[in-house]
Amino acid sequence: KAKWLLCWTSTWHLRIFVLMISTASGQIRYSVPEEMKKGALIGNVAQDLGLDLTRLRSGRARIVSGETTQYTELKTDKGILVVNERIDREELCGDTAPCSFSFEIILENPIELHRVTVEILDVNDHAPTFKNKVINLEISESATVGSHFDLESAYDPDAGIHGLQNYVLSPNDNFALKQHSNADGTRFAVMILQKPLDRELKPHLSLKLIAVDGGTPQRSGTVNIEITVLDANDNPPVFNQSLYKATVAENAPLGTYITTVNASDADSGSNGLVTYTFSNVKGKSAEKFEIDSVSGRITVVGNIDFEKDKKFEIRVIAKDQGGLSDATKVVIDVVDINDNAPIINIMSFSNMISEDVPPGTTIAVFNVKDADSERNGQITCSLDSSLPFKIQSSLTDYYNLLSHVAFDRETKHEYNITITATDSGSPPLSTKTTLHVKISDVNDNAPRFTKPDYSAYVTENNSPGMSIFSMIRATDADWNQNARVSYILEDSSVNGVPVSSYVSVSADSGVIHAVRSFDYEQIKDFQFRVKAQDGGSPPLSSNVTVKMLIQDQNDNPPQVLYPVQTGGSVVAEMVPRSADVGYLVTKVVAVDVDSGQNAWLSYKLQKATDRALFEVGSQNGEIRTIRQVSDKDAVKQRLSVIVEDNGQPSRSATIIVNVAVADSFPEVLSEFSDFPHDKEYNDNLTFYLVLALAVVSFLFITCLVVIISVKIYRWRQSRILYHSNLPVIPYYPPRYSDTLGTTGTLQHVYNYEVCRTTDSRKSDCKFGRAGSQNVVVHWASHENECIMCTFCLTTFFQNFYFCSL
Ligand SMILES: *[C@@H]1O[C@H](CO)[C@@H](O)[C@H](O)[C@H]1NC(C)=O
Ligand SMILES: *[C@@H]1O[C@H](CO)[C@@H](O)[C@H](O)[C@H]1NC(C)=O
Ligand SMILES: *[C@@H]1O[C@H](CO)[C@@H](O)[C@H](O)[C@H]1NC(C)=O
Ligand SMILES: *[C@@H]1O[C@H](CO)[C@@H](O)[C@H](O)[C@H]1NC(C)=O
C-alpha cells in the first residue's frame, strides 16, 4: 500500500516535494529532489516501516549499501532518513531516468532487512550552456533564401522538463530559427535565411541564440552569433550622373581635359573595382576622345572640328571585375572657334562692260560662305569705297556687284575690284577676291581739233598738187575704230567756185594739198571747213575753219602808167630855158600789181643826155632839174628811168622820157624833125590829140566788153564744171585710204597763156599752170602774134587784138 503525500510549501523559491511513502514488507520508497542540503529529511523511516524508535535503537538500525558514497544517513533517534551528501541527479544517473538508488536498512535483534529506494527527483539546477561563447559565421550575401545554417547545440544536464527545451534567436530581419531533435532527443537549432543579406547594407550582424530549459524558474544560456557577410558581386557600378555634359572648343589641343565620369560600386574588393570604357569603340568619338579606364577622365586625343561635328555623344561603360556594368552618356558640345575664313565664289561675271551701261547694272554675282557658325559665320562684304561699284545682297549669301555711276572709258578703262568678305568672329577672318573689269569703248567722243581754227600760208604760183598745210590734227579720245579720224573737206564755194577746186584734204593725214596754182593778185585769201569724222557707228564729227592766206611773190614787174609809151610817136616834155633849179619836168607814174615790198617802187635815172641836169625822185618818180638850164643845153634831152620794185629778186621796168628844152614849140619841132615820125607828128598833132581822145573812149568800151565776156565765159565754165562731175572727195573708210591720194588730188592741169606786148612790139608770152581762168586779153601789135588764140577779135584800132583761149 502506498500513500502519496503531496505537500505544497509556498516559500520564496516554490519547491515541490513529492514524497512517496510506501510501506511494504520491508521495502519503502522515497522520492527526493536532488541537491538537498545535508541533513534534509528524506523520509520517516520508522514510521514508514512501522517501527518505533526504541526498536530502531535496540535493533541498531543502520544502512548498508554497496555504494561508496553514502548519500543518506539514518537518524535512528528520530527514525528519519536525512541527506548525508549532496545528491546530484545528473551525476548519479546522467541521462538515465528515472534516477534512483537503493540501500538496505538492517535491524538486529531480530534482524530485519528493509530495502529503501530513493528516487532522485530532478531539480532545475543547470542552465543550458554552449560550449563556445561566440559562434562565428561567414555567410555570403549571395546566400539564397532558405539556406540553413546549423548552430551549435546547447547542453543542459537537467533532465526532462528541466533539460533544454527551446532555442530563441534574437530578433532580426534576416534569419528565422528552426529546431530539431536528434535521435537521442537532444535538440538543436538551425538558422534559416529568410531575407537575403546585403553586405553593403549591413556587412556584419550580431545575433544572440538563447537556449532555455523548462524549469521554473527557467534557466537559459546564450551564445553570440557573429555573422560576417561576405561580399558578392551583387552591385553594379552606378554612375553618379545619368548624363554628363561638357563643352570643348574646336581645335582644342591634344590632352585637353573634358570631364570625369565617376561610377561607384557598392561592392568591395575586386567586385567594386570599376573600369571605364567607351561603348562605341569604333567611330568618331573614340578617335577623338580617350577615357582613362581607372580615373574616368576624358581627354582629347584627336582633332575636333566644329564644322564636322557640333556635338559628340559618347556612351561610357563602367564595369566591375565581376562583370556588372552601368552605362552613361557623355554629351560634349563643341564650341565654334572662328577658324574658317569666308569663301567667295564668283557665280557669274562679265569682265568687259560697255561704258554706256546705266548705273545699277549687275556686273557680277557672287556667293559667300563661311563654314563657321553664329557670329563666326556672319559675313559682311565690302568694296573699296572709291570704286564706282557697290554690293547689293540678293538671296541669302548671294550678292550682286553693281555699277554705281556711269563709266567713262576715256577717264579710266579698267578697274580692279577687290571684294572683301569679313566674318564677325573675334578676331575676324577675311578673304579678298579681285575682279578685273575692262570698260569697252562706245563712240561718245567726237574728234577734236588741236586748235579752234587754222591759218595756212601758201606762196602764190605754187605747183598744183603740192602739200600746203599739214598742221591739221584732230584727236579722238575713244578707242580703236571709234578713234580713227578721217578728214573731209566740207563743201563750200570760194568766189562762186567749189572749194574742192582749190584744195583737197588727205582723208587719213589731214594734209591739205593745193589743187591749183594760186595767184595772189587774184585771190588773197579764202577759208573753208575741214570735218574730222571718226569711225564709230554712228560716226561723230567736228569741223574747223582753215583760213588759207596766199602770200605774194614778186611775179609782176612794175608797170608804167605815165608817161604813156606810144609805139612810134615821140612825146616830149617841155622845159623852158628859164626854168629854175628844181623845176618839175614830169612825174613817172608806175604801179606794181604785187603787194607789199613787191609793190614798193623806186625810181632811178639810168641814162641821160646830161646827167647833171635832171634827177629822178627815187620815191615819187618826179623828174626835176638840178641846175639852172642854160642856153647851151641841147633842146633834145633823152632820159632813161628805171622803175624797180623791192621784191626778191626785184623786177624792173624802163621808160624813156624825152625832154625838150625850149622856149617855143617850133624850136622843139625843128629839133625833133630828124625823128622819122616827127614830121608826121608835127603834121598830125591835132589828129593825134583827137586820136588820143578816141583811144581813151575805145579803151573804156573795150574794157566793158572784156569784162562782160569774161563774166559770161566764167558763167559758162562754172556751168560746165557743175555738170561734169568734177571729182568730189568722198569719204572712204580708212582701209581704202591708199587710193585716196589719187582721187583726192585733181590731176587736170589748166594751162593759160599770157601774151603781152612791149614797146619793142614783141610778144612776151608766159606759160603757167593754174585753175579755170581761160580768158585772157591779148594785146598784140599784129594779128600774127596771136597764134595761141582760139579766136581773135580784130579791132578797128590796129594794134589791139582781143583774143580768148
Ligand atoms: C565619385 O563620386 C563620389 C560621390 O558622388 C565620391 O565620393 C567619389 O570620391 C568620386 N570619385 C572620384 C574618383 O572622384
Ligand atoms: C560625379 O563625380 C564627379 C567626379 O568625381 C564629380 O565631379 C561630380 O560632381 C559628381 N556628380 C554628382 C552629382 O555627385
Ligand atoms: C589691276 O591689276 C593688274 C594685275 O594685278 C595690274 O596689272 C593692273 O595695273 C591693275 N589695274 C589697276 C587699274 O589698278
Ligand atoms: C561745224 O561746227 C560747228 C561747231 O563747231 C557747228 O555749229 C556746225 O554746224 C558745223 N558745221 C557742219 C557743216 O557740220
Side-chain angles (χ1 to χ4, degrees):
K1 303 267 169 83
K3 265 193 195 167
W4 293 88
L5 176 69
L6 204 63
C7 294
W8 292 92
T9 316
S10 85
T11 57
W12 63 277
H13 52 295
L14 276 179
R15 278 196 179 174
I16 303 166
F17 294 96
V18 180
L19 292 175
M20 197 175 79
I21 305 154
S22 66
T23 49
S25 50
Q27 194 166 12
I28 50 175
R29 193 178 176 92
Y30 295 103
S31 290
V32 290
E34 59 173 337
E35 305 280 349
M36 298 235 301
K37 277 185 213 150
K38 189 173 176 174
L41 176 72
I42 294 173
N44 195 335
V45 182
Q47 196 177 13
D48 295 337
L49 289 178
L51 301 171
D52 57 27
L53 295 173
T54 30
R55 171 68 185 119
L56 287 178
R57 235 176 281 128
S58 63
R60 296 206 336 214
R62 59 181 193 274
I63 293 169
V64 285
S65 87
E67 305 289 330
T68 50
T69 316
Q70 286 296 323
Y71 290 112
T72 53
E73 186 188 352
L74 183 66
K75 298 271 187 196
T76 48
D77 53 341
K78 286 181 185 164
I80 54 171
L81 199 61
V82 294
V83 174
N84 183 39
E85 209 166 299
R86 194 185 70 92
I87 307 166
D88 188 0
R89 191 202 71 85
E90 288 77 23
E91 194 179 301
L92 193 64
C93 300
D95 286 342
T96 329
C99 176
S100 61
F101 60 90
S102 300
F103 54 89
E104 278 82 33
I105 295 171
I106 290 182
L107 292 161
E108 293 170 4
N109 299 327
I111 295 175
E112 270 178 71
L113 194 64
H114 299 278
R115 169 162 285 214
V116 178
T117 301
V118 177
E119 188 185 355
I120 311 300
L121 295 177
D122 189 36
V123 167
N124 192 17
D125 57 346
H126 286 93
T129 53
F130 292 94
K131 201 160 72 199
N132 297 310
K133 283 216 158 62
V134 175
I135 303 172
N136 284 308
L137 285 179
E138 288 190 333
I139 303 173
S140 166
E141 58 179 327
S142 63
T144 50
V145 172
S147 300
H148 289 62
F149 302 95
D150 288 331
L151 297 177
E152 186 190 330
S153 300
Y155 174 67
D156 191 338
D158 293 333
I161 190 92
H162 295 140
L164 181 67
Q165 293 298 312
N166 203 5
Y167 289 102
V168 177
L169 194 61
S170 60
N172 72 90
D173 297 333
N174 301 88
F175 294 98
L177 201 64
K178 206 168 180 186
Q179 304 184 27
H180 298 280
S181 295
N182 286 326
D184 63 354
T186 54
R187 299 178 75 85
F188 64 93
V190 171
M191 249 179 2
I192 296 168
L193 188 64
Q194 279 190 321
K195 188 183 152 205
L197 292 172
D198 185 356
R199 189 200 67 80
E200 288 69 37
L201 212 61
K202 251 187 191 168
H204 196 265
L205 273 77
S206 283
L207 300 181
K208 275 186 184 349
L209 181 67
I210 304 163
V212 290
D213 59 18
T216 308
Q218 208 172 30
R219 286 177 172 250
S220 65
T222 305
V223 67
N224 288 327
I225 306 173
E226 296 297 337
I227 302 172
T228 304
V229 182
L230 293 181
D231 186 47
N233 191 24
D234 56 347
N235 285 285
V238 177
F239 280 103
N240 67 350
Q241 282 170 231
S242 61
L243 177 71
Y244 293 84
K245 283 189 165 175
T247 55
V248 62
E250 70 171 320
N251 304 333
L254 303 189
T256 302
Y257 170 78
I258 303 291
T259 188
T260 303
V261 294
N262 178 5
S264 47
D265 192 312
D267 294 326
S268 68
S270 70
N271 290 335
L273 203 64
V274 179
T275 55
Y276 304 93
T277 49
F278 287 149
S279 84
N280 32 354
V281 182
K282 282 181 184 159
K284 266 192 235 167
S285 321
E287 289 164 12
K288 310 222 181 266
F289 300 100
E290 186 184 64
I291 189 163
D292 185 283
S293 66
V294 176
S295 68
R297 264 174 70 95
I298 297 175
T299 50
V300 174
V301 292
N303 180 36
I304 295 162
D305 188 359
F306 177 83
E307 285 67 48
K308 286 187 190 145
D309 307 285
K310 298 187 169 38
K311 194 184 220 179
F312 291 96
E313 276 195 25
I314 311 175
R315 268 178 77 78
V316 178
I317 307 278
K319 212 181 231 177
D320 64 19
Q321 301 307 96
L324 296 179
S325 65
D326 188 17
T328 190
K329 200 153 77 172
V330 179
V331 176
I332 303 169
D333 287 314
V334 181
V335 176
D336 186 36
I337 297 288
N338 193 20
D339 60 344
N340 287 286
I343 297 168
I344 302 173
N345 284 317
I346 306 293
M347 297 306 189
S348 136
F349 167 54
S350 54
N351 64 350
M352 182 68 87
I353 50 176
S354 174
E355 65 176 316
D356 63 351
V357 296
T361 304
T362 301
I363 286 147
V365 175
F366 62 94
N367 163 258
V368 290
K369 275 186 211 149
D370 192 306
D372 294 322
S373 63
E374 306 271 302
R375 288 185 61 79
N376 294 337
Q378 280 171 13
I379 307 174
T380 48
C381 292
S382 62
L383 282 183
D384 183 355
S385 59
S386 63
L387 290 172
F389 298 94
K390 63 181 178 185
I391 290 177
Q392 198 177 58
S393 110
S394 56
L395 303 170
T396 315
D397 295 342
Y398 279 83
Y399 294 88
N400 293 340
L401 180 69
L402 307 176
S403 65
H404 190 38
V405 296
F407 296 112
D408 183 15
R409 191 204 65 83
E410 287 70 40
T411 317
K412 199 161 163 62
H413 67 282
E414 60 172 3
Y415 292 93
N416 284 341
I417 309 165
T418 301
I419 300 169
T420 309
T422 311
D423 62 26
S424 310
S426 165
L429 296 176
S430 65
T431 306
K432 288 176 188 234
T433 296
T434 299
L435 300 180
H436 190 71
V437 169
K438 281 198 166 123
I439 310 296
S440 69
D441 189 41
V442 164
N443 191 22
D444 56 353
N445 285 284
R448 267 173 170 230
F449 286 98
T450 49
K451 283 160 81 177
D453 48 47
Y454 294 91
S455 296
Y457 297 90
V458 58
T459 314
E460 61 174 334
N461 302 324
N462 58 297
S463 49
M466 191 179 95
S467 129
I468 51 175
F469 191 60
S470 57
M471 299 302 286
I472 289 184
R473 185 75 67 238
T475 53
D476 193 306
D478 291 323
W479 184 74
N480 207 2
Q481 189 70 15
N482 292 337
R484 180 164 283 174
V485 178
S486 305
Y487 302 91
I488 298 163
L489 179 65
E490 292 222 332
D491 260 352
S492 62
S493 61
V494 177
N495 297 342
V497 178
V499 73
S500 57
S501 61
Y502 283 85
V503 288
S504 69
V505 175
S506 165
D508 55 348
S509 65
V511 172
I512 296 173
H513 295 267
V515 170
R516 61 162 70 176
S517 181
F518 297 114
D519 183 3
Y520 177 79
E521 285 69 41
Q522 280 171 32
I523 184 162
K524 292 188 170 48
D525 60 60
F526 61 95
Q527 60 183 43
F528 53 90
R529 297 186 81 80
V530 172
K531 185 164 86 171
Q533 180 172 276
D534 63 26
S537 171
L540 296 175
S541 65
S542 59
N543 62 58
V544 75
T545 302
V546 181
K547 190 162 189 180
M548 191 56 73
L549 297 157
I550 296 158
Q551 287 183 315
D552 188 40
Q553 227 179 16
N554 194 20
D555 57 344
N556 290 289
Q559 284 180 339
V560 180
L561 297 182
Y562 185 85
V564 179
Q565 301 292 293
T566 57
S569 60
V570 171
V571 178
E573 304 294 334
M574 292 260 293
V575 177
R577 289 192 180 272
S578 58
D580 284 338
V581 174
Y583 177 82
L584 177 64
V585 181
T586 185
K587 181 174 170 144
V588 178
V589 178
V591 290
D592 193 312
V593 290
D594 294 325
S595 63
Q597 292 280 329
N598 295 337
W600 190 11
L601 301 179
S602 60
Y603 303 86
K604 254 191 277 177
L605 186 61
Q606 197 183 30
K607 271 189 270 172
T609 313
D610 184 354
R611 285 194 77 92
L613 188 57
F614 301 101
E615 65 161 13
V616 177
S618 70
Q619 302 297 319
N620 49 20
E622 286 173 355
I623 303 176
R624 289 176 188 273
T625 56
I626 49 174
R627 66 168 166 83
Q628 187 71 48
V629 179
S630 69
D631 293 342
K632 283 173 237 168
D633 288 326
V635 173
K636 205 169 88 184
Q637 294 280 342
R638 191 181 166 91
L639 305 177
S640 171
V641 175
I642 183 163
V643 184
E644 271 186 333
D645 62 21
N646 204 27
Q648 284 293 333
S650 73
R651 285 170 170 266
S652 61
T654 312
I655 186 169
I656 307 293
V657 179
N658 291 312
V659 178
V661 182
D663 283 331
S664 64
F665 198 64
E667 191 183 356
V668 175
L669 277 179
S670 63
E671 278 302 316
F672 282 85
S673 57
D674 53 331
F675 288 113
H677 294 287
D678 281 356
K679 258 186 208 116
E680 195 186 354
Y681 174 78
N682 290 335
D683 296 341
N684 297 313
L685 185 59
T686 318
F687 168 77
Y688 279 124
L689 288 172
V690 173
L691 187 67
L693 197 66
V695 164
V696 168
S697 309
F698 171 74
L699 272 176
F700 176 72
I701 292 162
T702 309
C703 284
L704 220 66
V705 170
V706 165
I707 288 165
I708 289 166
S709 303
V710 165
K711 286 283 175 198
I712 287 168
Y713 186 77
R714 272 194 189 163
W715 176 77
R716 268 184 58 203
Q717 200 73 8
S718 69
R719 286 290 295 247
I720 290 162
L721 286 171
Y722 189 74
H723 290 297
S724 66
N725 289 334
L726 264 185
V728 176
I729 304 160
Y731 167 68
Y732 286 96
R735 64 175 175 276
Y736 295 114
S737 63
D738 52 335
T739 63
L740 204 64
T742 53
T743 52
T745 309
L746 285 173
Q747 294 298 309
H748 298 258
V749 172
Y750 294 88
N751 296 324
Y752 75 100
E753 180 190 6
V754 178
C755 303
R756 280 202 190 89
T757 57
T758 60
D759 59 338
S760 64
R761 301 189 181 188
K762 279 199 169 173
S763 295
D764 183 9
C765 293
K766 261 194 141 185
F767 289 90
R769 300 182 331 155
S772 59
Q773 204 83 359
N774 315 52
V775 179
V776 152
V777 179
H778 183 94
W779 303 93
S781 52
H782 192 270
E783 197 180 344
N784 292 347
E785 290 181 27
C786 210
I787 333 154
M788 300 297 288
C789 298
T790 351
F791 66 94
C792 288
L793 289 173
T794 313
T795 59
F796 63 91
F797 197 68
Q798 72 174 69
N799 283 347
F800 295 109
Y801 295 92
F802 181 59
C803 63
S804 172
L805 288 168

